[in-house]
Amino acid sequence: MKKILFVLIALLFASAFAVADADGAILATAITVSESDTAVGNALVEVEDETIVVQRPITRLHLTGNGLAISEDDAFDFMHAKITVGSVKVNRAIAVTIAEETAVAEEFVVTRIGVLMLDDSRYHLKDVAVAEDEISAEIYNPVTESNAVSEAIGEITVKLFEKPGRDVWAGNIVLNGKAYNVYFLGMARNFRLAEVTEKIGGYCGENPEDSRCMNIIAECASNRKNCSEVVENYCSENTSDLKCLQLKKQYCLKNASDERCREYLKGLCEDNSNLVHCRIRTVNNNQVISINMEQVSSATAEAGEDQNSLVRKMERATILKNVRTPVNSVIIETVSGRGR
């Protein structure tokens, strides 16, 4: 398992860079895209690079950023910082006993992991907590020939600040007892075709009664697996089909903590800020179009996932409490304007 996780961490890094409350769970089931909704974009993908090999294990991409980690004690003591945080789904063998007979079965387990680069040093992120506007994790040193044991050597907490033209994730790092302020510029990451069609197919497999799915394959309700595969193949070949575009929007409204969905939903808001999921903030006297998180769900369970484990927020009190200016005490934006 450790070897598998190491490979998946590498895949996350190469891909280019809270507990869900009851209201969120109820809201997720209520979100519906009307079949007459034309505010869905023109194609499933904005730019498709066919030279990139898509690695299927990545289920959600929560943060991809590039920035600086600056020492709290010396503004000229800083490091180039890069980060990728995402979710991967792995299989886990479990023992199942039926009528006194024991057999080995498999179940899906979602693991949130990440990679943090500080100059040329790479660190692994584990015990990752993801909320709608905050990500935190334990920082582990990588296993090498000279260091055979991976152990926690620090913590990181970053919070989302929406700025004109760019999202900024700002926060704190404590690494080997030394405190840093860290700033990551969010890097736009759109869906690739194989990624979005897999999500659409999976959605129809979980919601075969959706008329958009049944309009693609009438047998959806009676054969979920075939429904998922047929929808995925159809949308791969019909990237401008309205049914597929509506299904993409439906998925993203229910999974807004995925950076790829955030990019898509914000793009729709730039074309029409009156959409129900859109919100206008005033930041430093500039208008910023963002997502109204009260009208979307941060993450909705997919096949093999537990809704209650998808989004959670964790207090990192053991190390980060010693930071002079923790991110949660910093207020650097004012909010006004429309916000349904």
Side-chain angles (χ1 to χ4, degrees):
M1 180 60 73
K2 289 184 178 179
K3 183 176 180 181
I4 292 174
L5 289 178
F6 182 80
V7 171
L8 293 177
I9 290 171
L11 291 176
L12 270 175
F13 184 75
S15 66
F17 303 91
V19 176
D21 57 28
D23 292 339
I26 293 172
L27 184 60
T29 61
I31 294 172
T32 302
V33 178
S34 168
E35 292 195 30
S36 63
D37 188 349
T38 58
V40 291
N42 300 315
L44 289 176
V45 290
E46 286 70 21
V47 177
E48 175 66 6
D49 187 347
E50 296 293 347
T51 65
I52 297 177
V53 177
V54 177
Q55 302 293 348
R56 295 275 180 161
I58 301 174
T59 63
R60 293 183 183 87
L61 190 62
H62 297 296
L63 169 59
T64 302
N66 196 345
L68 293 173
I70 306 171
S71 169
E72 277 208 337
D73 298 319
D74 182 358
F76 294 100
D77 178 8
F78 59 88
M79 294 178 286
H80 179 208
K82 294 188 291 186
I83 189 171
T84 295
V85 176
S87 303
V88 296
K89 189 182 292 185
V90 297
N91 291 336
R92 180 175 65 182
I94 58 172
V96 178
T97 302
I98 301 176
E100 299 183 354
E101 293 291 330
T102 301
V104 176
E106 287 190 341
E107 66 175 1
F108 287 116
V109 178
V110 172
T111 301
R112 280 156 192 80
I113 54 178
V115 172
L116 173 67
M117 292 288 296
L118 297 175
D119 286 340
D120 292 329
S121 299
R122 177 184 299 193
Y123 303 92
H124 299 164
L125 302 179
K126 302 180 184 180
D127 193 21
V128 178
V130 177
E132 65 183 42
D133 62 350
E134 182 177 302
I135 296 174
S136 66
E138 303 289 325
I139 303 174
Y140 280 72
N141 62 293
V143 174
T144 63
E145 291 183 0
S146 59
N147 187 14
V149 179
S150 180
E151 55 187 359
I153 57 174
E155 296 175 358
I156 178 172
T157 293
V158 290
K159 194 173 183 69
L160 174 63
F161 294 92
E162 294 173 317
K163 295 295 183 179
R166 183 69 68 91
D167 288 343
V168 178
W169 291 82
N172 311 112
I173 288 178
V174 173
L175 185 65
N176 293 319
K178 186 173 181 178
Y180 298 86
N181 296 317
V182 64
Y183 304 89
F184 295 107
L185 296 179
M187 299 169 63
R189 169 69 157 81
N190 297 307
F191 276 107
R192 294 168 184 144
L193 184 58
E195 293 173 335
V196 69
T197 54
E198 182 183 31
K199 294 299 186 186
I200 291 171
Y203 170 83
C204 285
E206 291 296 302
N207 302 273
E209 71 288 346
D210 191 310
S211 60
R212 288 161 296 226
C213 303
M214 290 192 291
N215 286 340
I216 296 174
I217 171 174
E219 296 80 11
C220 257
S222 60
N223 190 336
R224 292 191 178 202
K225 184 176 185 296
N226 194 43
C227 168
S228 181
E229 292 177 352
V230 171
V231 170
E232 182 175 345
N233 292 334
Y234 176 85
C235 290
S236 295
E237 298 172 358
N238 298 274
T239 58
S240 298
D241 186 282
L242 182 58
K243 296 184 291 293
C244 298
L245 294 171
Q246 290 168 334
L247 288 168
K248 176 183 179 180
K249 184 175 181 178
Q250 182 79 2
Y251 174 81
C252 280
L253 288 173
K254 293 188 175 186
N255 293 276
S257 67
D258 190 314
E259 280 294 308
R260 300 164 298 184
C261 281
R262 283 181 58 83
E263 284 296 316
Y264 168 69
L265 293 174
K266 287 173 68 175
L268 297 181
C269 294
E270 290 172 359
D271 293 333
N272 182 3
S273 61
N274 290 315
L275 297 174
V276 69
H277 73 269
C278 303
R279 177 172 58 188
I280 297 179
R281 293 173 177 262
T282 299
V283 180
N284 296 335
N285 297 320
N286 293 290
Q287 285 193 336
V288 175
I289 295 176
S290 62
I291 298 172
N292 184 354
M293 294 303 295
E294 295 180 357
Q295 297 297 329
V296 299
S297 177
S298 293
T300 303
E302 300 176 21
E305 293 182 318
D306 176 7
Q307 175 70 46
N308 290 330
S309 67
L310 290 178
V311 183
R312 64 193 177 110
K313 192 171 183 178
M314 181 178 292
E315 294 295 330
R316 307 280 178 178
T318 56
I319 298 177
L320 288 173
K321 67 180 181 180
N322 297 319
V323 173
R324 273 200 299 272
T325 309
V327 64
N328 288 331
S329 70
V330 178
I331 301 176
I332 58 175
E333 68 175 349
T334 57
V335 179
S336 62
R338 265 197 314 273
R340 297 177 188 79

